[in-house]
Amino acid sequence: TLGELRLLPCLSILPIIGHNLERRTKEVFLLCLIAGCSITWFNTVCFVLCIRNFPSNRALALSLTISFNGVSAALYTLIANAINPKDDTLYLFLNALVPLLVSCLALIPIIRQRPLQLSTYTINQDPFIFIVLNVLAVITGLYLLLLNSLSSEALRARTLLLGALILLFLPLCLPGIVCDRNWGFRTNSSLVDLSDPELHTELIEKDQSNSLNIEPFSAINKEGLFEKVMEKGRLTMLGAEHPARLLVCRWDFWLYYVAYFCGGTIGLVYSNNLGQITQSLGYNSKISAVVTLYSSFSFFGRLFSAAPDFLHGKVNFARTGWLAVALVPTPVAFFLLAVSGSEVVLHASTAMIGLSSGFVFSAAVSITSELFGPNSAGINHNILITNIPIGSLLYGLLAALVYDSNVTSSVDKNLLQEAIVCMGRDCYMQTFIFWGCISLLGLISSFLLFLRTRPAYDDHETNRNRT
């Protein structure tokens, strides 16, 4: 390893190592480029399929689909250990082969799917089906994340893999039950019932009035500056389609963009630096446990994003409000990390950030389809998540500069740049403060988005109860 090279008395091998590192860096860059393009296409297709096939319960379908992303790494590790725990290249081979095979198998029913219509009975029974699926997802997630550490031996890993495959195949039995009971019909229903001509006309008039900024003079005089700013150009109805050129002109979109950029993305950057953060705090033996902790809570955060739909009728709260609530733990966690470097704080903060970022990743697709239209959700959501590579670059660069500035060993720095190791709380303390302030900005932005979109959610709820 690179760390062991420091023990070698002869430095003549460094040019060879540098050449090999350069070649491998290019290979890794090419792999990351291809994988990044692939996962973007793959996620977009999955999101669009969920939105089109579950128009009445798209949020439930999306949260369930996205949540399984959090356990895929544990599943691949389990498969690799079951085949040969000592082969380090097997994990990479599985990443190249398994998605291709599964995608080909899933493509057959997608292509052969017939356009059907959804009945009222189906709409009423779908939430129950999703409850069962979420229970199975929780059991599967706990099974993979908690028992994965026991799969170091091949025989034990094969036993655990068999149980995992059974849990993963159980949800495939539900579509057959649904078809037998005539639950599998689809409808063209959306967030607003456009079959009601009076409701449709009313919503169009409201949207046109808003776009023309037609407001009573007396109302303008009575409103303060903050109220005027909050009312200007806000969304008046959910589900209205926004093409890309109209999307980037909406203040609601940019508030949403900043909330994601300063909330969910910064949690992702934290997870990318988690191994180095744990090492710098002196818990090198706990890296695997901390990474597993983040993955576990990210998984459950994605499942919790379906809470607004399960609690509908009991707690009527705008989904943008849930987004604001989900972002609260992130700045709290970063400020705790800046204050203390204890193991308890590290675990608690990692759990909070994982839970928060997981919720944001899953809820974001539903929010995009609700605010800016389900038919344009694929394009609009990809515009939204451009903040991920931008944020990863900026936040990662900030962490790297702070980290390098606190390196005290000049010997390591002169010997090999890749071997720089910083130890102590100072390595990331300033970074945590900066990240905490940035995530606080995201929280404020999400709260403003909630205030601007709350009337649209209230009108939607009133119209749905009326119909």
Side-chain angles (χ1 to χ4, degrees), residues 36 43 74 104 153-154 179 181 214 218 233 240 246 254 274 288 312 336 386 392 400 404 464:
N43 285 340
C104 292
E153 298 180 2
C179 292
R181 299 189 63 177
I214 301 175
S218 59
L246 179 59
W254 291 111
L274 193 52
S288 179
H312 182 262
L336 284 176
T386 54
S392 298
D404 290 345
R464 181 155 63 175

Side-chain angles (χ1 to χ4, degrees), residues 89-138:
T89 62
L90 187 58
Y91 187 89
L92 192 62
F93 177 74
L94 290 172
N95 273 272
L97 185 63
V98 174
L100 178 62
L101 295 178
V102 174
S103 299
C104 292
L105 292 175
L107 188 64
I108 299 174
I110 292 174
I111 294 178
R112 298 183 60 184
Q113 184 177 4
R114 295 177 297 175
L116 301 175
Q117 292 186 347
L118 193 63
S119 64
T120 305
Y121 181 71
T122 304
I123 298 176
N124 294 333
Q125 291 297 328
D126 268 355
F128 171 75
I129 298 173
F130 280 108
I131 289 175
V132 177
L133 289 173
N134 274 271
V135 171
L136 290 175
V138 170

